[in-house]
Amino acid sequence: MKVIIIAGKVVFAVIWLGLFAILGGATGELSSQSIGLLSVLLAVLVIMHLLLLGVFVGTMKQHLPWKKGDSWQILAFGIFAWLSILQRPKQDQG
């Protein structure tokens, strides 16, 4: 399972880097339609990850060991960050 989580995080990192590189002009001039489409895809990705973060925090935060930076991981890596948080060993809170 750890291999799947790491592979998923790598895939999402490549997606983010690719989207920002294209929007930043690293691949040359793009038409306004291409930039618009990529901007919409980036917005959809951000919205989906924000929804995932909201669901996760709303249902699981009190039941799992929540660390600083977990919200950013879920925003960046989506379900793969969620799975890695779920795999953490529970700590005694006593």
Side-chain angles (χ1 to χ4, degrees), residues 23 31-42:
L23 287 174
S31 69
S32 60
Q33 288 180 338
S34 298
I35 291 174
L37 176 62
L38 288 171
S39 298
V40 168
L41 291 174
L42 185 60

Side-chain angles (χ1 to χ4, degrees), residues 2-94:
K2 286 189 178 213
V3 172
I4 293 171
I5 291 171
I6 291 170
K9 286 183 176 183
V10 168
V11 167
F12 266 104
V14 169
I15 290 170
W16 282 110
L17 288 173
L19 282 171
F20 285 126
I22 291 170
L23 287 174
T27 59
E29 269 313 296
L30 293 176
S31 69
S32 60
Q33 288 180 338
S34 298
I35 291 174
L37 176 62
L38 288 171
S39 298
V40 168
L41 291 174
L42 185 60
V44 168
L45 183 66
V46 170
I47 289 168
M48 293 299 292
H49 285 208
L50 284 171
L51 288 172
L52 180 66
L53 176 62
V55 168
F56 187 78
V57 169
T59 59
M60 304 295 272
K61 186 174 179 180
Q62 280 126 20
H63 304 291
L64 294 172
W66 192 257
K67 295 182 181 177
K68 186 177 181 180
D70 284 346
S71 296
W72 289 109
Q73 275 208 44
I74 292 174
L75 283 176
F77 303 117
I79 191 72
F80 297 103
W82 188 357
L83 291 172
S84 66
I85 293 169
L86 287 174
Q87 284 192 336
R88 281 187 195 150
K90 289 194 176 204
Q91 300 169 350
D92 292 331
Q93 298 177 356

